[in-house]
């Protein structure tokens, strides 16, 4: 495959909701490249190369393919053919595999956004549109499954036109919401910048009026014209991938311009929209000139009615004569045997492939709408390199940036490639390890050589070497076969895009890992571990399941690279000063100008389903551990680690994702039999103020007050607990990332190596704990002021509490607060500590006194990490430290006897127990992890859907009917703990007519006290002493305690007074 000019390359991805036809669309393009048969297009799903993908009928891994197309120049240009190379990545639509979408879209310049014309805009459609917006991709809207309007909904062309108009409006409304939020951010940023400049001028100029007069910088509003989808602009394709047809408005404008005598450009502008052809004047008129006449819009009259006519003659009311007329009218070359075919779908596909070819339409749209790499990189690369600079015209500062912005592929251009994910390939699947099939010429030559060898052996029969030499070749071949069979290992390859330069096999490159800081020299202590040299062992062009080896790759192409195993974990930037690679004796410091860090991929879904794994045969444990490491590297949305209990745990995005990971571990990575525990679902513990709470533990004190003491009462303290007001709690949960960044910056103030990339890894840690990742509502510098506003809004004792906040928990960033409420003392304020950039002072163990505040905070963090109900993290509790009294003389005696560690340890455990008891003094509650669930179902199975949701303790939030269809979109909330097997059950009950999409949406309070027992006369009368009704909260709590090996208060004999006859 010779390297094309970057101007003739396009890199696009397919995005869309599950089952909206992405892989089927790719089949049509592959058929146009003669990779698969035209008859099999749409049925084969070539890019679903895994066995489980074919069985389930959904894509689970993104696949890349490079296609070549010959395209004629435009009539007004030179009529020569150009060769275009289109690198396409097919992505999954299921929410469990949305991380595959993130990694693919990072490498592309454009996107085909597929929307099912009947189902319309679904949850994942919005998610992928947002992904395309964030990654600055140029989208093309493909309205797929148009045939369903005719065959299923049986709409007439006019109704179909109105349906399509509404659908395009819905998609544009989503795009408009993204634009509006960005516009508001820009406005706020501009105001802040203007205020800062005015403040600076006020210092220089005496009068404020003078300052404002001199400030003439106006806010420049962005234009939103380019962001919307409009058929007349060529960025909307109407298609039916299963029947292999698709068109843009321009196709019909070209067809009718000569017939109607209009200019093509003018006709393209009016062919979509409320424009009509006046039959008398033969002129196009708008709606206001209709004067009550019932004319059909041009789109209905010239486009839809023709397509409806073909479907009517072939599928709906088969009529051979009509079909023959249509074929003759359209001047198509269809064989008589195809016209007589009983397979109507095949005949339909044959007609449309010649008339409105889907592949031609998609490729032409891609060439027209999606920019080539040199153009796209000038727009996208500045955003990647300078995410916090919002100037549109960022000029390159050095040779490296010039090469990147222009996609320069000259030999002396700096090589920069970005690896967005790693993927595993069986060693035997690599091209170099496959046995090459000999061609006919090679077989003939081999026969001639064998004959000559036999003739020579007859002539020279006396030499002893010849009989020994003959069997050498079969023996070596047999050895090769044995090697091929034994190569069962998995090879890790990188999935990358080359932004500039030319990369070649055998050259050495630098792998710049995500935490590398370009502002520091390469030999800096922070950077040394994040800069690793690697040799390019192989380069491949990806063709779905096949890999084609190449010697070099030019800028503007996607490729697979071998040689990064053990060096790159998930993503990295590959750099070299020129196409020959890094010189052998080169010093990294000399390469500083050639090194760049493009950064990490934004992960949209945090893994939530946690499962502990163990091998069936204990001696296979090392294989399992090695397999889990490989899996974590090959799958961008898997976390694997060892818990403190010693269990090996795997974290996945959902049930389907978990099934795929376990299958991969058993069959590919570990190759051992594995036992998986029941899914470990996270809970949260909290407390609320209820009506019928038990009396407070300490009489005559505020509820939640707990007094505690260390050994020998050397340290006594009083802590009061209270629920955090909802307004403050929501603010903290939404700004967890900001809070972590604040604390990290405060702790690393003396180290200049603080880097924005670290925030990504921090947020991944948040995800590991099962928290939902929110976009922060405030920046780090505004955090404390915004928190103060929320506290004042909450009122009561929360007014002016901001300066008394000692710490947050758990893990120093969460929904719990430790407050220093001691009288007559300067409070320990986290705000002041961070503003002074001081690290928390270490415990002072001088002879004079011992500071126990650090140990109090440790006890608080331990209690918040493992609550009293079932050792799950606590959320929404505040702890006011009202007093800490230290017996200084007693502590000195302990120091003398070297027993201080016993005192400090007992302080930690006493504070931990006090915090837990403080929570139990209120009415304790469990918080359940919740999935938001979207189900599309027709009216006849709606009742069954409701039944399954209700059985699993879910609740319906909303239901709305899709206009013009019999489909309902049902939104429900479902506890994660009840969700396992939900998708299978709903499919069974509805005979496959409904399929749910589950997205983790946070935690919700289960308003039931786990310790509740009937006490009043009414409750005892209604429920009896045993309370026969199950306490759901207690059931959840006991199951978690049992799993963790904690004490469970469960009666062995439930009804001792009843006689029971046990069967043998």
């Amino acid at each position: 495959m010779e390297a094309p000019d970057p101007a003739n390359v396009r890199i696009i991805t397919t995005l869309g909701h599950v089952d909206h036809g992405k892989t089927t669309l790719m089949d049509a393009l592959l058929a146009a490249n003669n990779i698969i048969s035209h008859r099999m297009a749409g049925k084969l799903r070539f890019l679903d190369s895994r066995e489980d993908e074919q069985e389930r009928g959904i894509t689970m891994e993104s696949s890349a393919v490079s296609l070549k197309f010959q395209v004629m120049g435009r009539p007004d240009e030179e009529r020569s053919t150009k060769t275009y190379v289109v690198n396409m990545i097919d992505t999954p639509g299921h929410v469990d595999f949305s991380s595959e979408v993130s990694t693919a879209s990072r490498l592309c310049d454009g996107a085909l956004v597929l929307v099912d014309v009947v189902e319309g805009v679904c949850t994942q459609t919005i998610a992928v549109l947002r992904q395309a917006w964030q990654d600055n991709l140029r989208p093309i809207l493909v309205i797929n499954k148009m045939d369903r309007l005719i065959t299923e909904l049986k709409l007439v062309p006019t109704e179909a036109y109105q349906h399509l108009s509404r659908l395009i409006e819905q998609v544009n409304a989503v795009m408009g919401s993204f634009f509006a939020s960005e516009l508001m951010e820009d406005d706020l940023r501009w105001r802040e910048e203007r205020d800062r400049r005015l403040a600076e001028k006020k210092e220089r100029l005496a009068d404020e009026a003078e300052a404002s007069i001199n400030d003439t910088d106006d806010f420049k509003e962005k234009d939103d014209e380019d962001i919307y989808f409009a058929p007349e602009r060529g960025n909307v394709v109407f298609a039916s991938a299963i029947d292999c047809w698709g068109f843009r408005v321009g196709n019909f404008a070209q067809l009718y311009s000569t017939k109607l005598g209009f200019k093509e450009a003018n006709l393209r502008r009016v062919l979509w929209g409320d424009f009509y052809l006046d039959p008398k004047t033969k002129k196009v008129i708008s709606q206001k000139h209709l004067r009550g006449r019932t004319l059909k819009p041009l789109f209905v009259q010239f486009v839809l009615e023709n397509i409806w006519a073909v479907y009517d003659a072939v599928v709906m009311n088969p009529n051979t004569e009509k079909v023959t007329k249509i074929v003759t009218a359209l001047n198509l070359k269809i064989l008589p045997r195809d016209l007589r075919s009983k397979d109507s779908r095949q005949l339909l596909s044959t007609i449309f492939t010649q008339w409105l070819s889907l592949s031609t339409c998609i490729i032409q749209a891609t060439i027209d709408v999606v920019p080539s790499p040199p153009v796209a990189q000038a727009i996208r690369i500045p955003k990647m390199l300078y995410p916090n600079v919002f100037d549109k015209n960022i000029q390159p500062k050095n040779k490296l940036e010039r090469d990147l912005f222009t996609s320069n592929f000259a030999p002396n251009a700096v090589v920069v490639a970005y690896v967005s994910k790693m993927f595993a390939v069986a060693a035997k699947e690599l091209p170099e390890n496959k046995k090459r099939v000999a061609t006919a010429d090679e077989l003939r030559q081999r026969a001639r050589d064998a004959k000559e060898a036999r003739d020579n052996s007859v002539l020279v029969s006396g030499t002893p070497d010849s009989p020994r030499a003959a069997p050498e070749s079969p023996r070596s071949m047999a050895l090769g076969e044995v090697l091929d069979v034994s190569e069962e290992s998995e090879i890790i390859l990188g999935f990358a895009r080359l932004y500039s330069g030319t990369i070649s096999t055998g050259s050495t490159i630098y792998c710049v890992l995500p935490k590398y800081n370009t502002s520091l020299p390469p030999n800096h202590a922070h950077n040394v571990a994040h800069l690793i040299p690697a040799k390019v062992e192989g380069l491949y062009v990806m063709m779905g399941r096949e890999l084609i080896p190449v010697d070099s790759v030019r800028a503007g192409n996607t490729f697979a690279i071998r040689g990064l195993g053990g060096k790159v974990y998930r993503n990295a930037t590959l750099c070299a000063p020129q196409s020959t690679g890094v010189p052998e004796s080169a010093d990294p410091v000399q390469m500083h100008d050639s090194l760049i860090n493009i950064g990490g991929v934004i992960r949209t879904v945090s893994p939530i389903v946690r499962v502990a794994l163990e091998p069936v045969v204990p001696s296979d444990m090392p294989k399992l551990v090695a397999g889990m490491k490989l899996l974590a590297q090959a799958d961008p949305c898997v976390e694997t680690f060892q818990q403190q209990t010693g269990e090996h745990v795997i974290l996945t995005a959902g049930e389907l994702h978990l099934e795929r990971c376990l299958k991969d571990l058993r069959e590919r990575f570990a190759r051992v039999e594995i036992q998986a525990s029941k899914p470990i679902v996270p809970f949260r513990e909290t407390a609320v103020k209820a009506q019928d709470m038990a009396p407070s533990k300490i009489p005559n004190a505020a509820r939640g007050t707990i007094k505690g003491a260390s050994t020998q009462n050397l340290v006594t303290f009083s802590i009061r607990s209270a629920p955090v007001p909802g307004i403050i709690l929501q603010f903290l949960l939404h700004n967890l990332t900001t809070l972590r960044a604040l604390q990290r910056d405060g702790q690393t103030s003396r180290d200049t190596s603080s880097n924005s990339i670290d925030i990504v890894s921090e947020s991944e840690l948040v995800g590991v704990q099962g928290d939902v990742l929110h976009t922060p509502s405030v920046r780090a510098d505004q955090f404390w002021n915004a928190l103060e506003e929320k506290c004042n809004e909450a009122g009561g004792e929360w007014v002016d509490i901001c300066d008394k906040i000692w710490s947050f928990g758990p893990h120093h960033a969460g929904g719990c607060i430790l407050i220093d409420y001691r009288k007559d003392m300067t409070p320990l304020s986290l705000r002041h500590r961070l503003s002074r950039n001081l690290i928390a002072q270490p415990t002072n163990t001088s002879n004079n006194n011992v500071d126990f505040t650090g140990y109090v905070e440790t006890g608080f963090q331990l209690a918040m990490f493992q609550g009293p109900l079932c050792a799950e993290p606590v959320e929404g509790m505040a702890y006011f430290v009202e007093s800490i009294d230290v017996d200084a003389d007693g502590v000195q005696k302990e120091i003398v006897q070297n027993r201080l560690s016993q005192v400090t340890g007992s302080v930690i455990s006493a504070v931990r127990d006090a915090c837990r008891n403080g929570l139990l003094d209120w009415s304790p509650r469990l918080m359940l992890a919740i999935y938001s669930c979207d189900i599309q179902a027709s009216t006849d199975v709606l009742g069954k859907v409701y039944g399954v949701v209700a059985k699993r303790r879910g609740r319906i939030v909303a239901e709305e009917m899709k206009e013009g269809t019999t489909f309902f979109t049902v939104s429900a909330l479902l506890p994660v703990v009840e969700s396992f097997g939900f998708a299978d059950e709903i499919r069974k009950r509805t005979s496959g007519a409904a399929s749910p999409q589950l997205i983790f949406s946070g935690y919700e309070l289960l308003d039931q006290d786990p310790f509740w027992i009937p006490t009043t006369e009414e409750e005892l009368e209604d429920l009896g002493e045993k309370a026969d009704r199950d306490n759901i909260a207690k059931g959840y709590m006991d199951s978690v305690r049992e799993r963790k090996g904690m004490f469970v208060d469960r009666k062995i004999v439930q009804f001792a007074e009843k006689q029971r006859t046990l069967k043998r």
Side-chain angles (χ1 to χ4, degrees), residues 45-60:
R45 298 203 320 279
F46 179 80
L47 292 180
D48 284 353
S49 51
R50 293 169 58 99
E51 189 185 338
D52 47 356
E53 286 181 327
Q54 287 288 348
E55 282 174 7
R56 288 179 180 273
I58 63 168
T59 308
M60 295 186 188

Side-chain angles (χ1 to χ4, degrees), residues 611-630:
V611 168
L613 303 178
E614 63 177 14
V616 173
V617 181
S619 59
D620 287 336
M621 182 57 87
K623 287 184 184 175
L624 175 62
V625 174
M628 284 172 72
K629 279 185 184 171
L630 264 176

Side-chain angles (χ1 to χ4, degrees), residues 997-1015:
Q997 285 266 307
L998 300 172
I999 303 169
F1000 178 55
S1001 69
Y1003 293 87
E1004 196 174 83
L1005 189 78
L1006 175 62
D1007 200 10
Q1008 196 171 12
D1009 190 337
F1011 301 118
W1012 179 85
I1013 50 170
T1015 48

Side-chain angles (χ1 to χ4, degrees), residues 662-937:
L662 293 178
K663 182 181 167 70
D664 279 352
L665 271 174
R666 288 189 182 107
E667 295 176 8
R668 293 177 63 192
F669 299 125
R671 288 202 180 84
V672 294
E673 273 305 307
I674 297 168
Q675 281 180 343
S677 71
K678 284 184 179 176
I680 303 166
V681 177
F683 289 85
R684 292 287 181 267
E685 299 180 18
T686 189
V688 295
K689 184 179 180 181
Q691 289 180 344
D692 49 350
M693 291 189 287
S696 181
K697 291 187 179 177
I698 298 179
N700 304 324
R703 181 172 289 280
T705 304
I706 304 290
K707 296 187 185 300
S710 68
T711 52
Q712 303 171 28
N713 290 338
L714 295 174
V715 181
T716 56
F717 56 85
S718 171
I719 293 178
R720 176 170 59 84
S721 65
V724 175
I727 189 170
I728 300 173
L729 179 60
Q730 287 306 314
F731 174 79
L732 290 175
L733 294 179
H734 272 84
N735 293 285
L736 279 179
T737 325
T738 308
L739 186 53
R740 284 176 179 276
L742 263 176
Q743 304 221 24
R744 189 201 65 244
D745 291 344
Q747 289 175 351
T748 57
S749 58
R750 292 177 302 181
D751 179 13
T752 53
S753 66
S754 155
N755 188 7
S756 63
I757 302 302
D758 290 344
I759 295 174
V760 176
S761 59
E762 287 287 351
S763 62
E764 284 181 2
L765 285 173
V766 176
V768 167
Q769 295 160 14
D771 286 335
V772 66
L773 300 177
H774 294 283
T775 307
S777 59
V778 294
R779 296 202 304 271
D781 56 338
Q782 303 166 337
F783 177 80
W784 291 107
N785 293 336
L787 180 60
E788 198 162 5
E789 282 176 24
K790 299 289 180 189
C791 290
N792 291 340
E793 212 174 311
E797 63 184 347
W798 289 91
V799 177
D800 300 329
I801 206 101
C802 231
D803 289 334
K804 295 179 181 177
I805 291 175
W806 183 344
S807 179
F808 295 95
H811 291 309
H812 301 282
C816 296
I817 311 174
L818 181 66
I819 297 162
D820 191 354
Y821 218 60
R822 292 176 288 175
K823 301 283 189 289
D824 307 324
M825 281 193 71
T826 307
L828 284 162
S829 172
L830 177 66
R831 182 180 188 174
H832 293 162
R833 282 211 306 273
L834 294 178
S835 65
R836 290 200 304 267
N837 282 336
L838 291 174
I839 302 170
Q841 293 297 319
T843 306
N844 176 16
T845 51
S846 64
N847 290 332
N848 300 330
N849 60 355
V850 179
D851 184 8
F852 285 99
T853 54
Y855 302 115
V856 171
E857 186 181 343
T858 305
F860 162 77
Q861 294 292 352
L862 286 172
M864 296 305 97
F865 184 58
Q866 294 188 325
L869 299 180
C870 50
E872 288 288 311
V874 178
E875 191 173 282
M877 291 301 292
Y879 292 89
F880 297 84
V881 179
E882 295 186 329
S883 65
I884 300 176
D885 299 316
V886 181
D887 180 358
D889 296 337
V891 170
Q892 288 303 323
K893 288 175 187 174
E894 296 297 315
I895 291 173
V896 170
Q897 294 179 10
N898 206 13
R899 289 208 300 258
L900 183 64
S901 57
Q902 291 178 13
V903 178
T904 54
S906 67
V907 169
I908 292 171
S909 55
V911 171
R912 183 194 63 198
D913 294 343
C915 290
R916 288 177 176 173
N917 289 329
L919 185 146
L920 295 174
D921 206 15
W922 294 86
S923 186
R925 293 285 187 273
L926 276 179
M927 295 180 81
L928 307 182
I930 294 287
Y931 275 137
S932 69
C933 169
D934 285 298
I935 310 163
Q936 282 219 333

Side-chain angles (χ1 to χ4, degrees), residues 261-334:
F262 292 127
K263 284 184 181 174
E264 189 186 323
N266 293 347
L267 187 56
R268 189 187 297 126
R269 213 164 45 243
V270 295
L271 204 49
W272 173 265
D274 293 329
F275 295 100
Y276 308 84
L277 185 66
D278 191 327
K280 291 178 184 174
T281 60
K282 298 292 181 189
K283 286 184 178 178
V284 175
I285 56 171
S286 60
Q287 196 166 10
K288 62 183 178 185
H289 296 111
L290 273 180
R291 297 193 187 93
R293 287 177 291 176
T294 54
L295 298 179
K296 293 174 185 172
L298 287 174
F299 189 74
V300 173
Q301 191 178 348
F302 293 127
V303 180
L304 295 184
E305 284 188 348
N306 290 322
I307 292 168
W308 259 243
V310 176
Y311 269 91
D312 182 60
V314 178
V315 180
M316 309 298 285
N317 305 303
N319 187 327
T320 318
E321 287 179 18
K322 265 192 183 178
V323 172
T324 313
K325 274 185 187 175
I326 288 168
V327 168
T328 313
L330 293 172
N331 198 18
L332 306 178
K333 293 172 184 170
I334 294 177

Side-chain angles (χ1 to χ4, degrees), residues 382-486:
K383 292 263 185 190
M384 289 185 196
L385 300 183
Y386 307 105
N388 298 322
V389 176
F390 298 95
D391 185 8
K392 275 194 172 180
N393 303 316
I394 299 174
Q395 296 302 319
K397 297 182 176 63
N398 50 35
K399 181 180 183 298
L400 168 66
E401 290 188 9
R402 273 196 303 278
D403 291 345
L404 271 175
F405 288 15
T406 57
S407 187
N408 187 0
F409 60 90
N412 63 344
V414 179
V415 176
V416 177
Y418 180 68
V419 179
S420 74
K421 73 164 190 169
M422 308 296 282
F423 65 102
V425 174
K428 62 184 179 188
E429 293 293 324
L430 287 175
E432 49 264 41
N433 296 339
K434 281 186 177 178
K435 282 194 289 185
R436 198 168 60 84
V437 179
T439 61
D441 290 339
E442 287 172 336
L443 288 169
R444 287 191 202 97
Q445 185 61 41
R446 205 179 290 173
R448 285 192 209 101
D449 293 346
K451 189 181 177 189
E452 282 177 25
R454 280 199 305 276
D455 294 345
N456 290 342
S457 64
V458 171
L459 292 171
V460 196
S461 55
T463 55
D465 288 349
S466 52
R468 210 178 296 140
E472 250 179 44
S473 151
R475 194 187 304 132
S476 63
M477 217 165 95
L479 182 67
E481 281 173 19
V482 170
L483 275 172
D484 274 356
V485 173
S486 66

